[in-house]
Amino acid sequence: MSQEESKPNKVTICRFTPDPALFCSAPFCNKLDALLTFSGVKGVQYEGVSPMGAPRRLLPYAKIDGVIVPDSELIYETLKDKGVIECLDSKAALSPQESALTYAIKALVEKSLVEFMVYERWIENHNLTADTFLSDVPWIFRRVMGYFFVWRPYQERFWGSGLTRYTPEERERDLKANLRALATLVPSSGYIHGKSAPTRVDAIVFGFLTAVYRFPQLCPKVAAGLAVYPHFLEYHHQLSVKFWPQRKPVV
C-alpha cells in the first residue's frame, strides 16, 4: 500500500449545526451522522453552513479529503467505494426480505413522514421556524428570506405533491396512519432488523426522530403523534446513549 493510500480519509459533515456536542435539526444530516457513526468512522468533523451555498442547495453535504460530495446516500456510497467503510447491511447479512423492508421503511420515513414534518415547520409554523433557524438575520430580512427562499418554494413543492390540497383532517389522518405503521416496526430496545448491530434503516429512522425531538415546537402534530408510541423515545434514547454518550440528549 502506498503512503498516499495509507493516509486516513478526512470527513467533514456540513450541516446546520456546527457544534459537535449537539444533534442537528435536519433529518438527513442526522441520518448521515448515524450512518458514519454506526460504521465506525472516527474523527468526523462538523461544519455549520447554509443550504444556499450547498451543492443542490440541500444539506448535508460532506468534504471527503477536500472533495465536496452532496446527499447523505451519495456520501455513504462514496465512502463505501473508497473502502473507508463496509456497508452496514452487508455486514449484518440482511436477507432479501429484510433489504426490501429497509427500502419500504426508507420510503415511509423520507417520502412521507419527513414531508409532514417539513410541511408543519415551513408552511403551518413558518414564522416560528424562521425565527428559530434564521435568528442571526435581522427580523425584516428574515421574513423576506423565509418567504422567497423557503416558504414559496415549499408551497409549490407541496402543491405538486398534493399535501397542501388535503384538508387539515385528511393530513392528520394520513400522518397518524404513517406513524402507526412505523410504530409496528420500531422496537423499544435493540435494532429494527433484530441484528446485533444497527443497519442503514436504523440510521434513517434515527435521523427523523432526532429532528422532531430536537425542535418539537416547530412540528407539534408530528411530535404529538410520536408521543402516542412511547417506545419511539426508548428506541431513540438507547441509540443516543450508546453511540453519542458525549452529546447533549435531545429529550
Side-chain angles (χ1 to χ4, degrees):
M1 179 179 292
S2 69
Q3 183 178 3
E4 183 68 25
E5 290 174 328
S6 65
K7 289 182 180 179
N9 296 93
K10 181 180 178 182
V11 180
T12 300
I13 297 178
C14 298
R15 59 179 193 166
F16 290 101
T17 307
D19 190 345
L22 296 175
F23 288 105
C24 192
S25 59
F28 295 105
C29 294
N30 294 318
K31 168 190 169 182
L32 175 61
D33 199 0
L35 284 171
L36 301 190
T37 301
F38 295 165
S39 298
V41 179
K42 304 297 183 183
V44 174
Q45 301 294 308
Y46 299 89
E47 183 178 331
V49 297
S50 166
M52 300 306 297
R56 306 180 183 179
R57 288 197 172 183
L58 294 170
L59 297 181
Y61 65 91
K63 297 176 183 177
I64 304 174
D65 295 332
V67 178
I68 292 177
V69 183
D71 188 82
S72 59
E73 289 286 337
L74 182 57
I75 294 164
Y76 191 69
E77 293 297 326
T78 299
L79 291 171
K80 280 172 49 185
D81 292 343
K82 291 171 71 70
V84 177
I85 57 176
E86 181 182 352
C87 177
L88 291 168
D89 292 355
S90 297
K91 287 174 65 176
L94 294 189
S95 68
Q97 292 78 12
E98 288 169 331
S99 295
L101 181 58
T102 291
Y103 278 101
I105 295 175
K106 182 176 186 292
L108 173 64
V109 172
E110 298 183 352
K111 302 299 184 183
S112 184
L113 288 172
V114 167
E115 294 292 279
F116 279 112
M117 184 201 73
V118 173
Y119 182 88
E120 267 204 275
R121 282 183 174 183
W122 287 108
I123 301 299
E124 294 186 343
N125 300 302
H126 167 74
N127 288 336
L128 178 59
T129 302
D131 289 343
T132 301
F133 294 152
L134 304 175
S135 59
D136 57 337
V137 178
W139 180 85
I140 186 62
F141 298 111
R142 188 187 312 159
R143 291 288 187 264
V144 172
M145 286 179 61
Y147 175 78
F148 283 103
F149 294 109
V150 184
W151 186 89
R152 193 165 68 173
Y154 274 130
Q155 186 74 4
E156 294 175 356
R157 165 178 159 179
F158 290 129
W159 177 260
S161 69
L163 200 54
T164 56
R165 309 186 202 199
Y166 294 170
T167 66
E169 294 76 19
E170 290 169 339
R171 282 193 295 271
E172 183 176 5
R173 178 200 63 201
D174 284 4
L175 172 61
K176 288 181 177 179
N178 279 267
L179 288 173
R180 184 166 58 248
L182 185 62
T184 65
L185 301 167
V186 174
S188 58
S189 62
Y191 309 112
I192 291 176
H193 285 307
K195 305 297 183 179
S196 60
T199 59
R200 293 178 77 156
V201 71
D202 293 289
I204 292 166
V205 174
F206 183 85
F208 164 67
L209 293 177
T210 304
V212 176
Y213 289 146
R214 176 87 197 276
F215 291 102
Q217 71 275 23
L218 303 183
C219 51
K221 295 173 185 174
V222 176
L226 288 177
V228 173
Y229 306 98
H231 68 285
F232 279 136
L233 189 57
E234 296 169 10
Y235 169 80
H236 183 274
H237 180 72
Q238 58 129 3
L239 287 175
S240 299
V241 170
K242 181 173 182 177
F243 290 98
W244 295 272
Q246 77 285 5
R247 280 196 181 165
K248 181 180 179 180
V250 294
V251 286

